[in-house]
Amino acid sequence: QHEALLIAALWGNRADLSFQLQLSAAAADERSEGILVDDSALLWSALRSQDNPIVCVVSDNAGRELLADLVLVDSLLCHGLAAEIVLYVKPHPYYVSDATMADALAVIQRLRAESRPQMSRTGDRLWDAVRSGRLTVRTHTFFCAPLGFHDMPDELASEFTTAAMTLMKGDLNYRRLVGDRHWPATTPFDHTVAYFPSPVTALRTLKSEVVVGLTSEQVAELDASGQRWRTSGGHAVIQVRVG
């Protein structure tokens, strides 16, 4: 189930609540179309290899996307793939749809109030995780600064060093992670994120020109399609650096 929920979180606001909680294997395969790089096996292996792993999640948008993120958080906690999760939100919207502390709490309470038992139980588990400290929601002024993660302050970088894995959500966080530059698309992902203080996973739908980690064959085929594949939101990547 966590594999399907990872795909739901990847596509963000394309997925409604019913999809996230009741996704079938066939539907997951259908959603996998358009994923140019899928390193999810590395993600699961990295988490399973750790005792009591801490996972950091850097959120992107509120609404359905944050809902998908929190349902994934619940799954990671329930299946023992994370002992503790730190969810990072913005102190205030840098862009109008950005997730904040109030949004995270509102989503959990909305789930708890659901009439459908599967959904309300998810909300109750998340609320219990907040109360017990297994789920912490944090913010930092850096998340609203016009800077890449190369330039994050030392105190924020030190928080990521404790993580077995950091999940970076969304297009802007991807650009901030790899560097908002005109990289050749075949540049290795590991090369661009080697500085990051923890293993890192990018869950990103392509909505801007920046992309790395593709093969030359992929780039040639996509460029020949005549589509604006870098910016249309029709393609995505799950890219992982573990070492």
Side-chain angles (χ1 to χ4, degrees), residues 42 46 164-165 189-191 193-200 240-243:
L42 287 175
M165 183 64 67
F189 177 73
D190 284 8
H191 172 75
V193 301
Y195 72 93
F196 199 78
S198 78
V200 63
V240 179
R241 189 215 70 180
V242 294

Side-chain angles (χ1 to χ4, degrees), residues 62-242:
R64 287 181 175 179
E65 185 167 348
L66 182 58
L67 180 60
D69 296 344
L70 284 166
V71 173
L72 175 62
V73 163
D74 173 66
S75 180
L76 295 178
L77 290 170
C78 285
H79 289 87
L81 292 170
E84 179 184 338
I85 293 182
V86 181
L87 176 68
Y88 287 95
V89 295
K90 292 186 174 62
H92 54 80
Y94 185 71
Y95 182 72
V96 65
S97 59
D98 287 335
T100 65
M101 186 84 67
D103 294 317
L105 297 177
V107 168
I108 294 173
Q109 295 302 338
R110 176 67 180 84
L111 279 166
R112 296 184 73 200
E114 268 287 334
S115 59
R116 288 167 285 186
Q118 186 179 10
M119 298 177 187
S120 63
R121 286 196 294 268
T122 298
D124 288 341
R125 286 193 301 267
L126 286 167
W127 185 243
D128 288 343
V130 170
R131 294 179 64 188
S132 68
R134 296 176 68 218
L135 171 59
T136 305
V137 184
R138 293 182 187 164
T139 190
H140 193 285
T141 55
F142 170 80
F143 293 116
C144 287
L147 300 169
F149 282 100
H150 295 79
D151 300 312
M152 63 181 155
D154 291 343
E155 71 270 13
L156 181 59
S158 67
E159 294 185 23
F160 288 121
T161 60
T162 65
M165 183 64 67
T166 297
L167 305 182
M168 289 281 182
K169 287 295 311 297
D171 189 78
L172 176 57
N173 281 328
Y174 186 87
R175 284 182 280 144
R176 299 178 83 184
L177 177 66
V178 305
D180 201 356
R181 305 170 188 173
H182 189 62
W183 295 105
T186 55
T187 304
F189 177 73
D190 284 8
H191 172 75
T192 64
V193 301
Y195 72 93
F196 199 78
S198 78
V200 63
T201 297
L203 300 178
R204 183 255 184 145
T205 303
L206 276 63
K207 298 177 182 176
S208 65
E209 294 286 342
V210 179
V211 65
V212 297
L214 304 186
T215 66
S216 56
E217 292 79 11
Q218 283 178 309
V219 176
E221 182 179 349
L222 290 163
D223 285 345
S225 70
Q227 300 176 355
R228 294 185 174 182
W229 60 273
R230 291 173 180 256
T231 59
S232 66
H235 296 85
V237 294
I238 303 171
Q239 293 175 312
V240 179
R241 189 215 70 180
V242 294

Side-chain angles (χ1 to χ4, degrees), residues 5-21:
L5 295 175
L6 183 74
I7 294 173
L10 170 67
W11 292 111
N13 54 19
R14 283 190 177 191
D16 62 22
L17 181 59
S18 298
F19 169 77
Q20 293 153 24
L21 292 178

Side-chain angles (χ1 to χ4, degrees), residues 37-74:
V37 179
D38 184 359
D39 291 338
S40 56
L42 287 175
L43 167 63
W44 307 131
S45 176
L47 295 181
R48 291 189 179 109
S49 69
Q50 298 284 327
D51 293 327
N52 302 316
I54 297 173
V55 175
C56 293
V57 180
V58 181
S59 66
D60 187 20
N61 293 307
R64 287 181 175 179
E65 185 167 348
L66 182 58
L67 180 60
D69 296 344
L70 284 166
V71 173
L72 175 62
V73 163
D74 173 66

